[in-house]
Amino acid sequence: METVLQRPRRSFLRDWVFTVDHKKIGIMYGVTALFFFLIGGLFALLVRTELLTPDGRFVSVQTYNEFYTMHASIMVFAVIIPILTGAFGNYLVPLQIGARDMAFPRMNALSYWLYLIGGLVLFSSMFFGMPDAGWTSYPPYSIQSEGPGIDLWVTSIHLVGLSSILGSINFIVTIHRMRAPGLTYNRLPLFTWSMMVTAFMQLFATPALAGAVTTLLTDRHWHTVFYTASAGGDPMMYQHLFWFYSHPAVYIMILPAFGIISEVIPVFARKPIFGYHAIAYSSVAIGFLGFFVWAHHMFVAGMQLSAGIPFMISSLIIAVPTSVKIFNWLATLWGGAVAYEVPLMFAALGFIGSFIIGGFSGVLIAAVPLDLHLHDTYFIVAHIHYVLFGGSVMCVMAGLYYWFPKVTGRMYNNKLGHLSFWLYFIGTQITFFPMHFVGLAGMPRRYALYAPEFQFWNDVSTVGAYILGAATLIVIFNLAWSAVYGKEAAANPWGARTLEWQTSSPPPAHNFDKIPVVTENPYGPYDKPEGEPGLSPA
Amino acid sequence: MGGTWLPPALTQMAREADTLFYVMLAVVTVFFVIVEVLLVTFLIRYRRSRQRQVGVAVHGNNKLEVVWTLIPAVILVLMGAFGVKYVYAVQNPPANSYVVHVTGHEWFWEVEYPNGVKVQNDFAIPAGVPVLFDITSQDVIHGFYIPAVRLQQDAVPGHLTQFYVTADPKDIGQTLPVPCDQFCGQGHPTMVGSMKVLSQADFDAWLQQQKEKSQ
Ligand SMILES: [Cu+2]
Ligand SMILES: [Cu+2]
């Protein structure tokens, strides 16, 4: 018998633009987010450069306002959320649950293209007029602000928000319906656990943001008065809507990051994850409590002070599930056989070592009495950067290095990897720790010009920011170069036991030749690592 | 070095806030040191070696989970409870307060005294008397912030926010910065007022002088 096999036609257009393969979509999310990471980072460096001197010699106040607005908006909406949920989530969830793709592959592609367009709309404001009202864009200032900046910003939020909602539905259905036989929720990899909670948070929170920015847009152009006090509107309403999204968004930006840590630490400690259930269910607790703390951003915004007390208590309580995770990760390291590989360095020293500073400063500013002083000062800027940079970005780096051999089939350059880790770790402390000092001393945020007494620590921060900029270039170079020229990696170079490592590197289009049957929890006990390339026994 | 830590506190309330800050800072610092020391110790002590190729096969410990859930929970709630009294103290100004109206504008503070005198940015208060600021805004949201008293309230159009300040007589003669700390546009970083603490007699004279100036 003769079978005629027609080779599938291939082209860039077919392979990438029309693809509905979750792995390719994940890679496209990742590459796009890293591109925006460079742009957002460039804005950060421009901001820091302006702050070298107290009298603003570099750019005008207006330009500075646009720079920090672009920095934060790009980092939140076009980098951290999409790289965690879009890149890591899309690439890993179907593989980790032993599925061939997401539940709705075409909708998945749509999510990516909406995100890309949304990101580009924000990016394009560089040429048409940038938004200048901060990533929070509070009215009435954001209504008054002239030019197309805020409108482009709103359009961008609409697009990436829709992308988020579609993506979250896709994850919920995929995780609920498409797990391999035997893969119960109690055997689900912890990254996938965190993605499920994150998806629910995105689904419930994002509509509030859409409402906030849509009403902002109609107030700007169609004479509605949602936020005009003299006509009976109320600017505080926007803040409630905005933070009802944006506080959960902080957890949307950290839960998948926690998930990455839970994958990396047991593999490199060669020890079962300590307290699997505690880690999984504490994510659920965070997801739930995350919706009851939003007003801690508004203690001084005009609410009755004592109305802040329940929010203060809930904000303190939400530190509990997070500290439970930290203790379990520490306990996983205890009695382990820890290999100092790049992903582990980012996860353990980089993430745990830095993130807890953001956690502890969060406890301080959750207290109404302290927030009355520290609100809207650099102390808040220090806090959010320890959470999002010391937290989320460190985890992103851990994840990029950890799954790089899976995605590309090649190994990154180890020396450059370690160099980038130390630059990131030291750069983070130099950049963000001094912000606590000037914040305590009363330096308000969003100041292009500031009192001379604050200059010293601002200069230190700026030096740290340049170090982080250099480190980022090294990371990008390492990944790009190694993807083409790196040493070939084995299918499972780390000896991990989650399902994505049980197929080839890179995985075939259909992920698994045979759908695996799961019989146990994926976190060890582990075999001896001997003979596995990529691990260097000391 | 200036610009590195809490500025000198002007009021008794500010000193109470600082006490709260130091207590909470001490608690989180203890936890911070514990976590960092454990982290570094475990990383060094349990480094992979020829003898140490796999970790111990331990999956968890329910007693430990309970302990490290409950201890932080109790400490955190206690820290919250510790601040409740202060919140009510800030919220309830003394009945005999001297009321001053503050209005945020793009980009200056307008301060109006009971006798109708209005000054811009640079204002004065009498020491020893509770001075209540009634704060609002004419245009966009501003933030009325006095670092020396550890208090701030946003100036929101259509809303009235408040806090009060009772300056110590020993601080007479001091002038303190009053920055706007809620982003309000191009003039935001230069919207910095100043508050001068005067004795009651000097304050009355100052107010009279302002009144004559405006006529
Ligand atoms: Cu929040
Ligand atoms: Cu202002």
Side-chain angles (χ1 to χ4, degrees), chain A residues 185-375:
Chain A
Y185 277 110
N186 284 327
R187 291 170 183 164
L188 202 60
L190 288 164
F191 176 75
T192 299
W193 253 112
S194 72
M195 275 307 303
M196 188 174 61
V197 178
T198 304
F200 274 107
M201 296 190 86
Q202 285 183 294
L203 187 60
F204 292 133
T206 314
L209 178 68
V213 300
T214 306
T215 43
L216 187 63
L217 195 68
T218 62
D219 266 16
R220 276 173 66 81
H221 295 293
W222 295 295
H223 305 292
T224 55
V225 289
F226 290 104
Y227 306 123
T228 309
S230 56
D234 186 355
M236 270 183 76
M237 187 62 202
Y238 175 90
Q239 299 181 27
H240 280 292
L241 286 170
F242 181 84
W243 290 113
F244 188 80
Y245 166 78
S246 290
H247 190 85
V250 176
Y251 293 101
I252 291 168
M253 290 186 273
I254 201 70
L255 276 180
F258 288 167
I260 291 173
I261 298 306
S262 300
E263 301 293 344
V264 169
I265 286 186
V267 168
F268 291 96
R270 225 85 211 117
K271 183 166 165 272
I273 186 112
F274 197 92
Y276 169 89
H277 292 99
I279 292 181
Y281 295 128
S282 60
S283 296
V284 180
I286 290 173
F288 182 74
L289 287 169
F291 281 96
F292 298 96
V293 299
W294 81 91
H296 65 206
H297 298 268
M298 301 171 60
F299 287 153
V300 304
M303 2 187 291
Q304 197 185 22
L305 270 191
S306 52
I309 290 172
F311 290 98
M312 157 167 83
I313 302 294
S314 59
S315 306
L316 291 166
I317 293 284
I318 202 168
V320 174
T322 308
S323 63
V324 165
K325 283 178 192 287
I326 304 262
F327 287 126
N328 278 296
W329 290 323
L330 284 177
T332 307
L333 290 171
W334 168 81
V338 185
Y340 290 4
E341 295 292 338
V342 179
L344 186 275
M345 296 308 282
F346 272 106
L349 202 53
F351 165 74
I352 299 179
S354 312
F355 173 76
I356 58 168
I357 297 175
F360 289 132
S361 62
V363 167
L364 299 181
I365 52 183
V368 179
L370 306 189
D371 191 60
L372 285 171
H373 175 50
L374 297 170
H375 186 85

Side-chain angles (χ1 to χ4, degrees), chain A residues 327-459:
Chain A
F327 287 126
N328 278 296
W329 290 323
L330 284 177
T332 307
L333 290 171
W334 168 81
V338 185
Y340 290 4
E341 295 292 338
V342 179
L344 186 275
M345 296 308 282
F346 272 106
L349 202 53
F351 165 74
I352 299 179
S354 312
F355 173 76
I356 58 168
I357 297 175
F360 289 132
S361 62
V363 167
L364 299 181
I365 52 183
V368 179
L370 306 189
D371 191 60
L372 285 171
H373 175 50
L374 297 170
H375 186 85
D376 273 338
T377 67
Y378 262 80
F379 199 86
I380 304 292
V381 183
H383 164 70
I384 197 65
H385 283 93
Y386 265 104
V387 171
L388 291 185
F389 204 97
S392 309
V393 175
M394 288 290 184
C395 298
V396 165
M397 292 299 148
L400 284 175
Y401 283 107
Y402 178 58
W403 282 291
F404 183 81
K406 172 53 57 185
V407 175
T408 61
R410 293 179 186 274
M411 193 50 86
Y412 54 81
N413 180 297
N414 202 36
K415 281 213 180 83
L416 282 181
H418 280 286
L419 176 66
S420 67
F421 163 72
W422 285 107
L423 289 177
Y424 254 82
F425 182 67
I426 295 165
T428 299
Q429 319 310 330
I430 297 178
T431 311
F432 303 119
F433 207 81
M435 294 180 181
H436 293 113
F437 298 145
V438 290
L440 281 174
M443 177 171 166
R445 55 199 287 216
R446 299 174 171 177
Y447 265 36
L449 317 164
Y450 57 88
E453 72 209 73
F454 300 125
Q455 183 173 9
F456 176 77
W457 290 117
N458 270 288
D459 288 354

